[in-house]
Amino acid sequence: MIEMLTNPQTLLSVFVAIVVFATIVTLVSPMMGGSGLEGRLKSVANRREELRRRSREALAQPSVGASLRHTDEGMYKTIVDRLQLSRLLEDPKVVDKLAQAGFRGPKPVSTFYFFRFAMPFAFAVVAGFYLYVVNDFGLLPVQKIAACFVALMAGFYAPNLYISNIAQKRRESIVSAFPDALDLLLICVESGMSIEAAVAKVGAEIGGASIELAEELALLTAELSYLPERRLAYEGLAKRTNHPGVRSVVTAMIQAERYGTPLGSALRVMAKENRELRLSAAEKKAAALPAKLTVPMIVFFLPVLFIVIMGPAIIKIQDVLKHR
């Protein structure tokens, strides 16, 4: 049993099976599962009510010193504080990166530092155990040490790659539905609604196209209600999305707020520009598609095509040679 489990062919078969299963789950899950929009918007609304309750308690009991900030007293926080990982692995942009990926508060920061410290050792231990105990693949000792070092470096950068991947997918979802949200926001503003009510209305309606954008707009509504300046709320939206189109819209809204210019005209221009950006991104992907399809066509399509075309002729030639 141990020899079978440590056989490279068995491990390769298990890896292929996992990849196939993950592919099937990825293709089937959008059809089977729900969007989860109502639950996420409900969580944002619950968080808003919790902030209001804490604010009222802080005003009623100023001596207690109640705080509206999240606190983290978990195991990860304890380990990070004792080992001073925030200084050892200091990253000034970690809060912005986590916010762009949808993780907010101090708890994700502690979790990120903990895994950034633990993952290199975990990867190196797993690689060393496999090479020195299970199967060494005929490698020299220097090559084994180099492989363990590569695994250690991969573990160090794995949390950053994970956060970057989630942030990129989230940004793509937001950007794809952002021009439509601007059109809805323009209609709401020109109908006489305030900017807070318009953002809340658009956030409730845009969830079918992008849950992430609906969540960001719900957070923007809460920040517009509680922050002392609207500029801070707009800048927070730009930091969380980190996209040029969203930043340009935020700049236009801040200028309209500061100088008293009509917000409707600025939103109309920004909506047109964002639609053009979305169209140019789609054209860029379409232009790159033929180059990406070249290798799959050569590897998968051409051999099958040659078999279909030349197979009957080869069979017929073999029959003729047998009769002779």
Side-chain angles (χ1 to χ4, degrees), residues 7-319:
N7 191 358
Q9 293 182 353
T10 304
L11 296 176
L12 181 61
S13 301
V14 172
F15 176 74
V16 172
I18 293 174
V19 171
V20 173
F21 178 75
T23 304
I24 295 175
V25 170
T26 304
L27 295 176
V28 175
S29 58
M31 296 182 289
M32 301 297 294
S35 61
L37 171 64
E38 296 181 358
R40 297 180 70 171
L41 292 180
K42 184 178 180 181
S43 64
V44 175
N46 292 336
R47 175 58 184 163
R48 189 185 308 159
E49 292 298 328
E50 183 182 357
L51 288 175
R52 291 176 180 174
R53 179 180 59 81
R54 290 186 180 182
S55 179
R56 289 193 296 266
E57 291 177 356
L59 292 175
Q61 300 176 357
S63 60
V64 177
S67 176
L68 297 178
R69 293 182 177 271
H70 283 281
T71 58
D72 183 17
E73 302 296 338
M75 179 186 67
Y76 295 153
K77 178 64 175 177
T78 303
I79 296 175
V80 169
D81 290 341
R82 288 184 178 180
L83 298 179
Q84 295 184 353
L85 298 181
S86 58
R87 291 185 180 181
L88 180 64
L89 306 173
E90 184 178 2
D91 188 356
K93 297 182 180 180
V94 63
V95 177
D96 294 337
K97 291 178 181 179
L98 292 173
Q100 292 168 14
F103 303 107
R104 304 178 186 87
K107 188 174 182 179
V109 177
S110 302
T111 305
F112 174 80
Y113 279 128
F114 173 80
F115 280 100
R116 194 174 186 184
F117 175 76
M119 291 300 288
F121 298 102
F123 275 47
V125 168
V126 171
F129 176 79
Y130 189 83
L131 293 176
Y132 284 96
V133 178
V134 180
N135 191 351
D136 59 356
F137 296 102
L139 299 177
L140 298 175
V142 178
Q143 294 175 336
K144 294 179 183 179
I145 295 174
C148 294
F149 181 76
V150 171
L152 187 140
M153 295 300 296
F156 181 78
Y157 289 105
N160 284 331
L161 293 177
Y162 176 74
I163 295 298
S164 300
N165 188 21
I166 295 180
Q168 183 179 1
K169 292 181 179 179
R170 192 169 185 272
R171 189 182 306 113
E172 290 176 355
S173 176
I174 292 174
V175 172
S176 63
F178 192 65
D180 300 331
L182 288 180
D183 291 333
L184 293 175
L185 187 63
L186 174 61
I187 294 173
C188 293
V189 170
E190 290 187 342
S191 65
M193 297 176 64
S194 63
I195 187 63
E196 292 86 354
V199 172
K201 180 66 175 178
V202 174
E205 295 293 335
I206 204 63
S210 174
I211 299 177
E212 290 78 8
L213 181 57
E215 182 181 1
E216 288 296 333
L217 292 178
L219 291 174
L220 177 61
T221 305
E223 289 181 348
L224 287 173
S225 302
Y226 285 100
L227 291 179
E229 297 182 11
R230 291 182 177 178
R231 176 182 59 83
L232 300 176
Y234 294 146
E235 291 177 352
L237 176 63
K239 288 181 180 179
R240 292 193 300 268
T241 54
N242 192 24
H243 187 266
V246 179
R247 284 199 295 266
S248 62
V249 173
V250 166
T251 302
M253 295 178 73
I254 292 175
Q255 291 178 352
E257 176 98 15
R258 179 179 300 175
Y259 300 110
T261 56
L263 184 60
S265 59
L267 289 176
R268 185 177 290 106
V269 174
M270 291 295 105
K272 182 179 179 181
E273 290 183 358
N274 278 270
R275 281 195 298 270
E276 291 176 354
L277 285 175
R278 184 173 61 180
L279 181 60
S280 63
E283 292 176 349
K284 182 179 179 180
K285 288 184 178 181
L289 189 60
K292 294 180 179 179
L293 286 177
T294 302
V295 175
M297 288 185 65
I298 294 174
V299 174
F300 298 105
F301 288 95
L302 291 182
V304 177
L305 184 62
F306 287 144
I307 292 173
V308 171
I309 293 175
M310 301 179 64
I314 294 174
I315 295 173
K316 191 171 183 179
I317 291 172
Q318 289 178 350
D319 292 338

